[in-house]
Amino acid sequence: MADNFLLVQELLSDIKKPNRGGNVMLKLDMMKANDRVSWIFLTQVLRRFGFSEVWIDMVWRISNVWFSVIVNGLPQGFFRSTRGLRQGDPISPTLFVIRAEVLSRSLNALAGHRSFRPFKVPSSCPLVTHLAYADDVVILMSGFKASVKLVKGVVNRYCEMLGQKFNCQKSCLLVHPTLPLQRRRHRILSTEGKVVLLRSVLSSIPIYLLAAASLPRRVFALLEKVMADFLWGSTDLGPKFHWISWGDLCRSKEEGGIGVRSMAKVYDAFSIKLWWNFRQKHYLWVEFLTAIYNKGLHLCLDEGVPSQSSMWRRLCSVEIFHENIVSDFVTQAQWNLGLLNQVLQPGLVRQVIEVPPPSPRGSDRMVWALTQDGVFFGSPCGPTRCHCCTEPGEEGINHTFCTGKVAKAVWSSFEDPGEASRVSTLRHRVIWWWLRQGQNVYLKFVYRLLPMIPYWEMWKARNRGVFEGRRLVGTEVRNLGISGDGGVVRDLEGQLIFSYSYFFGSLTSLHAELKAMACGVQLCVARSLHDLHIKVDSLVLVQILQGKDACPWRLQREVDGLLRYKRYFGDITHCYREANKPTDYLANLGADTEQEMIFGSHRALPGMVRGEIQMERLDFPNFRKRSMS
């Protein structure tokens, strides 16, 4: 939705450009969009799109609904519905989009009509006839009479076939850009109540507008003046005196403020987010802006063109250091400190030189350092992200206490795995514990009290992650510690070729597994061993190398280095640790001795490793010990 808003805003800047009949934006709102869908029309559309009759029949059966009217407590007769999508049904949004595709294709077809004059855009930009989101449609055209008649004909035919109607009260015709600003009237509240309302409601109302719209700085001052007047109150003679400046009020409570967000700072933060999205080049509005202003050049190299739009000026106002290619700062396989100090602050230079210099091969990749996969996420009004998973998902009470990675690890210490898998909500788990049968009143009391203790500890851990930036214990990629790893290389008959043990220092378990695999592959290639089959007990690493999971951006370089040897190995499969005991012992050996060792024969291996290999040859199983009390 934000992408459509950004594109509409850019088109609005061109609405006054000369065009026969003028440029016109028609915003239409569908009345009861889901309830008025005709099933006969929908089945015809599905058939034209090539869906099989079996599938159409399955969809048709969804519409086979009978209703009855209750009169005096008793149902009186039945009647059948002929239109309407069931809201809440998983397939309803897909059917709604398929139905809306008819209108979309009809409007796109107007661009090829000889009498239709489109909305005037620069010649290098793609033609946009309409934008749609859910039940709202914005149609772009000229005010030329023939064009208006063509659009009206398409809309009327669509309404007749589908039975759809448009809400005239919510629809409008836009020919000039406007920006209404409404003041919130003063309400009688206590000072504490006003602060709460300011922080939770009033300062959040313009957030989405700041994320997409390009506003003059005087608008921020006006908004903040309205909020300040609301906080300090007013009399019949006018606003009361403001004893503290608004800038000081926007400080955190620890710094003497009340924690209200500054509109200008929020606007600057969203400007950086827009810069990020622009540099990713995955959006239509980015393609549109690039075609108009910088013709494919880098934004930093833009020399400016007359009559720039407000959105382009906002992007150019972001203060970003010169974006050189990373390899420009590397000289003879070493970081060039002189060049780094010219463009980076000393603290950032220290962080850069801690990373090994990259190779000149490959292209640069922009990453967001606050996420594992380097992809920026977040929305001004969207849900918060959890602090307990490798890939943060949407945070919720059930995710935090029941279904999240940390919650599952905690409850696995108290419950049987089969019982825990059937619980998915906080309320269900509490009731399940309260209804457990105890042998005496004391055990029943423990069962009633037990759920509260893990919940309280998980809640405190969650708050440490949110407010102190500390990851919850139990995640897979933050478990830093002294690490080592090892490997065993065998031939097709299971005979030992060689084995190795390495010490890696302080690394995460995932990083250690990756380095061990890379070292093993390099050792095999050095010994002219090809057509390798790799087994590893890290399922996360296997999924990353198979492309099923996102790679943490900090490990991307080493993953790319491993994949350069792709021609020397085939499959990479996962095995449980119980089936990988020899390498587990070698990994512990490397971590304990802090040495790198290569064993070229079976006799040179430690006795425990030789014993495990011999047991594997005899097909002796390994067991995982688990207390079931």
Side-chain angles (χ1 to χ4, degrees):
M1 183 176 180
D3 298 335
N4 286 344
F5 187 90
L6 291 170
L7 185 54
V8 168
Q9 183 178 235
E10 186 62 31
L11 290 168
L12 271 175
S13 64
D14 296 335
I15 199 169
K16 292 184 179 180
K17 288 190 175 180
N19 191 13
R20 187 173 181 181
N23 290 321
V24 175
M25 282 190 179
L26 178 62
K27 189 264 182 185
L28 299 177
D29 181 85
M30 300 182 187
M31 182 185 299
K32 298 186 179 297
N34 286 296
D35 297 335
R36 304 189 67 88
V37 175
S38 171
W39 279 100
I40 297 177
F41 175 76
L42 186 58
T43 54
Q44 293 175 351
V45 172
L46 291 173
R47 191 171 286 111
R48 289 292 298 273
F49 279 158
F51 287 89
S52 66
E53 293 297 329
V54 176
W55 173 256
I56 296 174
D57 181 68
M58 293 172 61
V59 174
W60 175 260
R61 291 177 186 275
I62 299 176
S63 66
N64 191 15
V65 181
W66 295 79
F67 296 93
S68 178
V69 179
I70 297 179
V71 180
N72 296 328
L74 298 175
Q76 302 294 326
F78 291 88
F79 62 92
R80 184 178 180 181
S81 65
T82 58
R83 63 177 66 243
L85 296 176
R86 294 185 185 181
Q87 299 190 32
D89 193 302
I91 200 175
S92 294
T94 303
L95 296 177
F96 183 89
V97 171
I98 292 175
R99 181 222 62 174
E101 183 68 14
V102 177
L103 178 61
S104 178
R105 294 194 179 190
S106 300
L107 292 173
N108 285 332
L110 292 179
H113 199 283
R114 200 170 55 176
S115 302
F116 179 77
R117 291 186 176 274
F119 192 96
K120 186 69 173 182
V121 295
S123 57
S124 59
C125 297
L127 180 63
V128 181
T129 59
H130 71 285
L131 295 169
Y133 181 80
D135 59 347
D136 294 317
V137 181
V138 175
I139 301 177
L140 306 169
M141 58 182 175
S142 70
F144 188 55
K145 186 176 181 179
S147 301
V148 175
K149 283 186 175 182
L150 289 172
V151 172
K152 182 180 179 182
V154 168
V155 173
N156 288 339
R157 286 194 301 272
Y158 175 75
C159 292
E160 290 174 1
M161 291 186 296
L162 187 61
Q164 183 66 60
K165 291 184 178 180
F166 288 96
N167 192 339
C168 297
Q169 295 180 349
K170 295 183 179 181
S171 301
C172 64
L173 187 68
L174 188 63
V175 293
H176 295 289
T178 58
L179 184 62
L181 183 63
Q182 298 181 351
R183 287 175 170 249
R184 181 176 280 270
R185 300 185 63 182
H186 172 68
R187 296 180 180 179
I188 301 176
L189 289 173
S190 64
T191 303
E192 293 78 8
K194 291 179 182 179
V195 171
V196 172
L197 186 61
L198 268 177
R199 294 179 56 189
S200 59
V201 179
L202 297 184
S203 60
S204 300
I205 290 176
I207 288 296
Y208 194 83
L209 188 63
L210 296 177
S214 299
L215 306 178
R217 291 284 173 174
R218 62 179 180 273
V219 175
F220 304 148
L222 182 58
L223 285 173
E224 292 175 349
K225 182 178 183 303
V226 172
M227 293 181 185
D229 292 342
F230 171 80
L231 177 63
W232 295 106
S234 61
T235 63
D236 295 337
L237 300 177
K240 294 182 179 180
F241 183 75
H242 298 183
W243 295 99
I244 304 176
S245 67
W246 184 257
D248 292 336
L249 290 175
C250 291
R251 299 179 182 271
S252 63
K253 290 184 177 180
E254 293 77 9
E255 296 176 338
I258 61 175
V260 180
R261 288 175 289 191
S262 169
M263 294 290 104
K265 291 183 179 180
V266 173
Y267 183 79
D268 292 339
F270 280 122
S271 297
I272 297 175
K273 177 184 176 182
L274 286 175
W275 169 275
W276 173 274
N277 292 335
F278 181 84
R279 295 289 285 112
Q280 295 297 316
K281 300 180 180 180
H282 297 325
Y283 306 97
L284 179 59
W285 66 271
V286 173
E287 178 185 350
F288 197 89
L289 288 177
T290 303
I292 295 178
Y293 297 114
N294 68 347
K295 311 297 183 183
L297 298 176
H298 194 282
L299 187 57
C300 294
L301 303 177
D302 175 59
E303 299 179 353
V305 296
S307 66
Q308 292 179 338
S309 67
S310 57
M311 176 57 62
W312 186 255
R313 290 195 299 270
R314 180 179 182 180
L315 287 172
C316 294
S317 67
V318 178
E319 295 183 1
I320 302 291
F321 62 85
H322 296 289
E323 292 193 18
N324 301 74
I325 300 176
V326 177
S327 58
D328 293 343
F329 297 92
V330 179
T331 304
Q332 296 180 353
Q334 297 292 331
W335 289 111
N336 190 322
L337 295 180
L339 291 178
L340 288 175
N341 288 317
Q342 292 179 11
V343 297
L344 294 179
Q345 298 177 357
L348 295 177
V349 173
R350 287 193 294 270
Q351 295 181 25
V352 170
I353 61 178
E354 292 177 356
V355 181
S359 63
R361 293 176 295 182
S363 57
D364 292 349
R365 176 192 174 199
M366 188 169 62
V367 298
W368 188 255
L370 301 180
T371 58
Q372 286 299 317
D373 56 4
V375 178
F376 180 87
F377 69 84
S379 60
C381 302
T384 57
R385 301 285 175 163
C386 73
H387 291 71
C388 61
C389 298
T390 304
E391 296 184 10
E394 180 178 340
E395 185 180 44
I397 185 171
N398 293 323
H399 181 86
T400 302
F401 295 115
C402 291
T403 60
K405 188 164 294 185
V406 170
K408 289 181 178 179
V410 170
W411 289 113
S412 64
S413 302
F414 297 93
E415 301 171 350
D416 181 75
E419 296 175 340
S421 62
R422 296 194 294 267
V423 179
S424 59
T425 64
L426 181 145
R427 182 179 301 179
H428 186 188
R429 175 161 273 120
V430 171
I431 295 176
W432 182 80
W433 274 94
W434 286 355
L435 294 180
R436 294 189 69 169
Q437 299 297 326
Q439 298 177 357
N440 51 60
V441 293
Y442 301 105
L443 188 56
K444 289 183 179 180
F445 174 75
V446 172
Y447 285 161
R448 288 178 178 271
L449 183 64
L450 182 61
M452 310 307 168
I453 300 174
Y455 283 150
W456 175 243
E457 294 298 327
M458 283 188 284
W459 176 249
K460 291 193 296 184
R462 178 262 179 194
N463 289 336
R464 287 195 296 268
V466 173
F467 300 106
E468 300 177 13
R470 297 166 57 184
R471 300 290 296 186
L472 274 64
V473 177
T475 53
E476 295 183 3
V477 287
R478 295 287 185 179
N479 50 352
L480 282 171
I482 300 301
S483 59
D485 219 318
V488 177
V489 181
R490 314 182 203 192
D491 58 18
L492 293 176
E493 298 178 355
Q495 299 296 326
L496 179 70
I497 300 178
F498 72 93
S499 60
Y500 58 92
S501 176
Y502 279 92
F503 172 69
F504 295 135
S506 181
L507 292 178
T508 64
S509 60
L510 180 61
H511 195 178
E513 294 279 1
L514 177 60
K515 287 181 70 69
M517 182 184 295
C519 292
V521 171
Q522 291 172 4
L523 290 173
C524 290
V525 172
R527 288 166 169 77
S528 300
L529 300 176
H530 302 162
D531 297 330
L532 306 175
H533 178 83
I534 303 175
K535 287 187 177 181
V536 62
D537 55 21
S538 174
L539 181 60
V540 176
L541 180 59
V542 172
Q543 292 176 340
I544 289 174
L545 295 176
Q546 292 177 348
K548 298 179 181 179
D549 204 351
C551 176
W553 66 270
R554 298 180 188 276
L555 305 181
Q556 186 65 54
R557 183 192 304 172
E558 297 192 41
V559 170
D560 294 339
L562 175 61
L563 294 179
R564 293 195 190 102
Y565 294 93
K566 179 65 177 175
R567 64 181 182 275
Y568 297 112
F569 59 85
D571 295 333
I572 300 177
T573 57
H574 171 256
C575 66
Y576 291 101
R577 183 166 296 178
E578 288 73 19
N580 206 19
K581 280 293 186 69
T583 59
D584 194 31
Y585 280 116
L586 290 173
N588 293 330
L589 178 65
D592 294 338
T593 61
E594 299 185 2
Q595 295 179 359
E596 299 179 359
M597 293 173 283
I598 298 179
F599 306 96
S601 64
H602 187 272
R603 187 181 300 273
L605 287 170
M608 189 67 70
V609 180
R610 292 201 306 269
E612 288 294 336
I613 293 178
Q614 185 64 28
M615 292 175 67
E616 287 186 1
R617 289 179 180 174
L618 299 175
D619 294 331
F620 191 84
N622 283 301
F623 300 95
R624 175 181 296 182
K625 297 180 180 179
R626 176 177 170 83
S627 176
M628 301 302 294
S629 58

